[in-house]
Amino acid sequence: MLVNKAYQFRIYPTKEQESLIAKTIGCSRFVFNHFLGRWNDAYQETGKGLTYHSCSAALTKLKKEFVWLKEVDSVALQSSLKNLADSYTRFFKKQNKTPRFKSKKNKVQSYTTKETNNNIAIVDSKIKLPKLGLVRFAKSREVEGRILHATVRRNPSGKYFVAILAETEVQPLEKTESSIGIDLGIADFAILSDGRKMDNNKFTSNMEKKRKREQRKLSRRALHAKKNGINLLDAKNYQKQKRKVARLHERVMNQRADFLNKLSTEIIKNHDIICIEDLNTKGMLRNHKLAKAISDVSWSAFVSKLEYKAKWYGKTIVKISRWFPSSQICSDCGHQDGKKSLEIREWTCPICHEHHDRDVNASKNILAEGLRTLVLA
Ligand SMILES: [Zn+2]
């Protein structure tokens, strides 16, 4: 099967390349904002938007007026237009609000460019990018397949990254004749029906604590600068601390993504059928106490990773209704023992006297229910 795989690498541009990246980001933003203005005007007058093609033609004329637009990767400018057209399409479909003007102050500064005639490629230990030429990068893994496009990004911490999307052929994994149930928890990220509990990545939470501490320090420095009438842009200590917080945030995000990737790959590799609760995250997020924990442990990201990997590698995901009382049933004898409040972590079945760990028992029930519905389907 042909699938799109995303890769991300840190890049180390030279000073010259850095300034060209900044210029390209600036020009892409200029083009986006310029045409967003025109688009907004058209929408106000006619109730309709413009089209990508009309804007693309107008861009050619615009380049005659603003010649500096010609200095950067022209595909990046077109991608910027495409991006605008797509946001407006989503707006007309009521999937999001009106597109907003891009600002220099946005956290993520990036531009996207497409592959044509091998202009994006890995050449030994460097990556070739349009206009930039060869850029040194941290090659953490091999890019497989045909490169489709690349996004060059500058983070608030001042680091540069490239995200690459490549189309590649994947082969189904060998069958293992094994199935598993997964209960998603808060204290433990995931509890498996084989009795294993996947720790909610303690390292991440330590790092998260550190990030919060440094964040508070940042607020104090902002306050201090304000008291002394110093503009934040000129407050050296504040700016230094700001970069530190951004770096920590990046590390937290990277660790989390790494954890979710490894866990989902391991599960897909070792099991043919994976049974999991159908989460109603929206409903749960309304409960504020749970909200932080849920967003922290990234359940929905995990489930979507399981889903696309299952599709790639020929495995099956079965989703159980969230109304299924997985924590009320004895997984040994099937006795339904009634509702159990969240603080009950273990219990003994009054019928068969089996002692249960609440979460492991739930994951066993999820597995049994998944296999049952699979037979019915
Ligand atoms: Zn029982």
Side-chain angles (χ1 to χ4, degrees), residues 118-129 133-137 139 142-143 147 164:
N118 214 30
N119 64 350
I120 305 174
I122 310 292
V123 184
D124 300 322
S125 59
K126 293 193 170 163
I127 182 162
K128 191 168 103 183
L129 290 163
L134 295 173
V135 185
R136 201 159 67 81
F137 83 118
K139 190 182 186 180
E142 295 290 334
V143 174
I147 294 176
I164 286 180

Coordinates of all heavy atoms in Angstrom, one line a residue, residues 118-129 133-137 139 142-143 147 164:
N118 N 13.6 16.7 -8.5 CA 14.6 16.4 -7.5 C 15.2 17.6 -6.8 O 16.4 17.6 -6.4 CB 15.7 15.6 -8.2 CG 16.3 14.6 -7.3 OD1 15.7 14.0 -6.4 ND2 17.6 14.3 -7.5
N119 N 14.4 18.7 -6.7 CA 15.0 19.8 -6.0 C 15.0 19.7 -4.5 O 15.5 20.6 -3.8 CB 14.3 21.1 -6.4 CG 12.8 21.1 -6.1 OD1 12.3 20.1 -5.6 ND2 12.2 22.3 -6.2
I120 N 14.3 18.7 -4.0 CA 14.4 18.4 -2.5 C 14.9 16.9 -2.5 O 14.3 16.0 -3.0 CB 13.0 18.4 -1.8 CG1 12.3 19.8 -2.1 CG2 13.1 18.1 -0.3 CD1 10.9 19.8 -1.5
A121 N 16.0 16.8 -1.8 CA 16.6 15.4 -1.8 C 17.7 15.3 -0.7 O 18.2 16.3 -0.2 CB 17.3 15.1 -3.1
I122 N 17.9 14.1 -0.3 CA 18.9 13.9 0.7 C 20.2 13.5 0.0 O 20.2 12.6 -0.9 CB 18.6 12.7 1.7 CG1 17.2 12.8 2.2 CG2 19.6 12.5 2.8 CD1 17.0 13.9 3.2
V123 N 21.2 14.3 0.2 CA 22.5 14.1 -0.5 C 23.6 13.9 0.6 O 24.0 14.8 1.3 CB 22.9 15.3 -1.4 CG1 24.2 15.0 -2.1 CG2 21.8 15.7 -2.3
D124 N 23.9 12.6 0.8 CA 24.9 12.2 1.9 C 24.3 12.7 3.2 O 23.3 12.4 3.6 CB 26.3 12.7 1.6 CG 26.8 12.1 0.3 OD1 26.5 10.9 0.0 OD2 27.5 12.8 -0.5
S125 N 25.1 13.6 3.8 CA 24.7 14.0 5.2 C 24.0 15.4 5.1 O 23.9 16.1 6.1 CB 25.9 14.1 6.1 OG 26.8 15.0 5.5
K126 N 23.6 15.8 3.9 CA 23.0 17.1 3.8 C 21.6 17.0 3.1 O 21.4 16.0 2.4 CB 23.9 18.1 3.0 CG 25.1 18.4 3.8 CD 25.9 19.5 3.2 CE 27.0 20.0 4.2 NZ 28.0 20.8 3.6
I127 N 20.8 18.0 3.3 CA 19.5 18.0 2.6 C 19.5 19.1 1.6 O 19.9 20.2 1.9 CB 18.4 18.0 3.6 CG1 17.0 18.0 2.9 CG2 18.4 19.3 4.5 CD1 15.9 17.6 3.8
K128 N 19.1 18.8 0.4 CA 19.0 19.8 -0.7 C 17.6 20.4 -0.7 O 16.6 19.7 -0.7 CB 19.3 19.1 -2.0 CG 19.5 20.1 -3.1 CD 20.0 19.4 -4.4 CE 18.9 19.2 -5.4 NZ 19.3 18.5 -6.6
L129 N 17.6 21.7 -0.6 CA 16.3 22.5 -0.6 C 16.3 23.6 -1.6 O 17.4 24.1 -1.9 CB 16.0 23.1 0.8 CG 15.7 22.0 1.9 CD1 15.9 22.6 3.3 CD2 14.3 21.5 1.8
G133 N 19.9 25.4 -1.4 CA 21.0 24.5 -1.7 C 21.2 23.4 -0.6 O 20.2 23.0 0.0
L134 N 22.4 23.0 -0.4 CA 22.7 21.9 0.6 C 22.7 22.5 2.0 O 23.4 23.5 2.2 CB 24.0 21.2 0.3 CG 24.0 20.4 -1.1 CD1 25.4 19.9 -1.4 CD2 23.0 19.3 -1.0
V135 N 21.9 21.9 2.9 CA 21.9 22.3 4.2 C 22.3 21.2 5.1 O 21.8 20.1 5.0 CB 20.4 22.8 4.6 CG1 20.4 23.4 6.0 CG2 19.9 23.8 3.6
R136 N 23.1 21.5 6.1 CA 23.5 20.4 7.1 C 22.3 20.1 7.9 O 21.5 20.9 8.3 CB 24.6 21.0 7.9 CG 25.5 20.0 8.6 CD 26.8 20.7 9.0 NE 26.6 21.7 10.1 CZ 26.5 21.4 11.4 NH1 26.5 20.2 11.8 NH2 26.3 22.4 12.3
F137 N 22.2 18.8 8.2 CA 21.0 18.4 9.0 C 21.4 17.1 9.9 O 22.3 16.4 9.6 CB 19.8 18.1 8.2 CG 19.7 16.8 7.5 CD1 18.6 15.9 7.8 CD2 20.6 16.4 6.6 CE1 18.5 14.7 7.2 CE2 20.5 15.1 5.9 CZ 19.5 14.3 6.3
K139 N 20.6 13.7 10.6 CA 19.9 12.7 9.9 C 19.6 11.5 10.9 O 20.5 10.7 11.2 CB 20.8 12.1 8.8 CG 20.1 11.2 7.9 CD 21.0 10.7 6.8 CE 20.4 9.9 5.7 NZ 21.4 9.5 4.8
E142 N 16.5 7.2 7.8 CA 16.5 7.3 6.4 C 15.1 7.7 5.9 O 14.1 7.3 6.4 CB 16.8 6.0 5.8 CG 18.2 5.4 6.1 CD 19.3 6.2 5.3 OE1 19.0 6.8 4.3 OE2 20.4 6.3 5.8
V143 N 15.0 8.6 4.9 CA 13.8 8.9 4.2 C 13.5 7.9 3.2 O 14.3 7.7 2.3 CB 13.8 10.4 3.6 CG1 12.5 10.7 2.9 CG2 14.0 11.4 4.7
I147 N 9.8 12.0 -2.2 CA 9.5 13.2 -1.4 C 8.5 14.0 -2.1 O 8.6 14.3 -3.3 CB 10.8 14.0 -1.2 CG1 11.8 13.2 -0.3 CG2 10.5 15.3 -0.6 CD1 13.2 13.8 -0.1
I164 N 9.4 16.7 6.3 CA 9.3 16.2 4.9 C 8.2 15.2 4.8 O 8.0 14.3 5.7 CB 10.7 15.5 4.6 CG1 11.7 16.6 4.3 CG2 10.5 14.6 3.3 CD1 13.0 16.1 3.9

